[in-house]
Amino acid sequence: MRLGRIASPDGVAFVSVEGTPDDPATTVREIAEHPFGTPTFTGRSWPLADVRLLAPILASKVVCIGKNYAAHIEEMGGGHFPDPVIFLKPNTSIIGPNIPIQLPANANPVHFEGELAVVIGRPCKDVPAARAAENILGYTIANDVSARDQQQQDGQWTRAKGHDTFCPVGPWIVTDVDPSDLELRTEVNGETRQLTRTSMMLHDVGAIVEWISAVMTLLPGDLILTGTPEGVSPIDDGDTVSITVENIGTLTNPVVRKGRR
């Protein structure tokens, strides 16, 4: 199932996306209340072309994994760590598909980071890796946008990764995908910048959920960004970033400097 969140003439709603995304006949069926557990439907539906896709989930927190692809560690000049490195992005950084990433005037360079994202499906704490899937609603795509100069200046990552619009997510959540070996591709203005498979992650999804849930309770809708591969580079006003994850879809966002539209 593909679960999304839309703005329609009747308001904002969670939906199930029915059909092939590129097919003009694709529709979205409105879900009553929320998508967790077994969704129930209101009976209302719209053509996908007649609604606007929003970020597919409202997360209480965004937990990110750093240094999870060896080649990215090498390109950034960082050391290897035996355990996952975690940090947080505020939920106010989340935007949906086609919404502009706004570059702060005082940040340069700003990099894209294409990532597979995990969506938590129920409250959980101290989850063994072998039981991680029981607590996952599904998977989506995220862009961990990062201001590198602020990251270096501050010595930690909160400001550099926490700006509004610095966490594009979408276009929907896929509930029935195996995350262990998916192709991940990031393009800027149609040029491939990142290309890898999730099998190259140093810590897989089960290990990540176990590590994070040992520290903090995870709530329904919480997002876990699983790390970015090599190939990160600057984005600037007028660029378009598209991240494609196999069997999930493509997340596309334009880039603007603050004050421009």
Side-chain angles (χ1 to χ4, degrees):
M1 179 180 289
R2 285 195 299 272
L3 300 170
R5 190 167 147 266
I6 63 158
S8 77
D10 297 322
V12 174
F14 288 106
V15 296
S16 172
V17 181
E18 310 284 342
T20 305
D22 295 331
D23 186 343
T26 295
T27 60
V28 294
R29 297 172 60 206
E30 185 179 41
I31 293 172
E33 298 182 353
H34 60 73
F36 305 106
T38 302
T40 58
F41 296 91
T42 66
R44 298 198 300 178
S45 65
W46 302 269
L48 179 60
D50 291 350
V51 300
R52 178 165 59 90
L53 287 170
L54 307 174
I57 203 68
L58 297 171
S60 76
K61 55 185 172 290
V62 183
V63 190
C64 306
I65 301 296
K67 303 178 182 295
N68 203 25
Y69 288 84
H72 177 59
I73 296 172
E74 296 301 325
E75 77 174 349
M76 298 302 292
H80 290 257
F81 295 87
D83 296 317
V85 176
I86 63 175
F87 61 94
L88 296 172
K89 292 172 83 84
N91 58 12
T92 49
S93 66
I94 297 172
I95 57 173
N98 303 310
I99 300 300
I101 299 166
Q102 297 187 27
L103 307 181
N106 64 343
N108 188 41
V110 175
H111 284 188
F112 63 84
E113 294 191 3
E115 309 197 11
L116 173 71
V118 180
V119 184
I120 295 299
R122 65 185 187 182
C124 58
K125 180 74 168 71
D126 297 320
V127 178
R131 301 190 64 180
E134 300 172 22
N135 299 279
I136 293 171
L137 175 65
Y139 300 87
T140 187
I141 305 167
N143 187 350
D144 176 20
V145 182
S146 305
R148 295 298 184 206
D149 56 337
Q150 296 178 1
Q151 193 172 351
Q152 294 176 358
Q153 178 181 340
D154 296 352
Q156 49 85 18
W157 302 350
T158 303
R159 179 169 68 124
K161 293 173 174 283
H163 290 277
D164 290 357
T165 77
F166 270 29
C167 189
V169 179
W172 38 64
I173 300 161
V174 178
T175 62
D176 55 356
V177 65
D178 180 350
S180 62
D181 187 27
L182 302 173
E183 183 182 274
L184 186 156
R185 178 191 301 266
T186 304
E187 297 181 349
V188 178
N189 303 328
E191 177 184 343
T192 298
R193 301 287 181 85
Q194 293 181 298
L195 181 61
T196 194
R197 301 194 71 84
T198 56
S199 56
M200 299 300 293
M201 291 194 298
L202 300 176
H203 309 285
D204 64 17
V205 168
I208 289 169
V209 171
E210 179 176 308
W211 182 260
I212 295 172
S213 68
V215 177
M216 65 190 77
T217 298
L218 294 168
L219 300 176
D222 281 352
L223 286 165
I224 299 175
L225 276 55
T226 60
T228 198
E230 74 277 13
V232 299
S233 60
I235 50 177
D236 209 341
D237 184 66
D239 287 342
T240 299
V241 184
S242 294
I243 305 164
T244 301
V245 176
E246 183 181 6
N247 297 332
I248 295 179
T250 299
L251 169 67
T252 297
N253 297 89
V255 180
V256 300
R257 282 283 170 188
K258 277 189 176 179
R260 299 184 184 181
R261 294 186 181 274

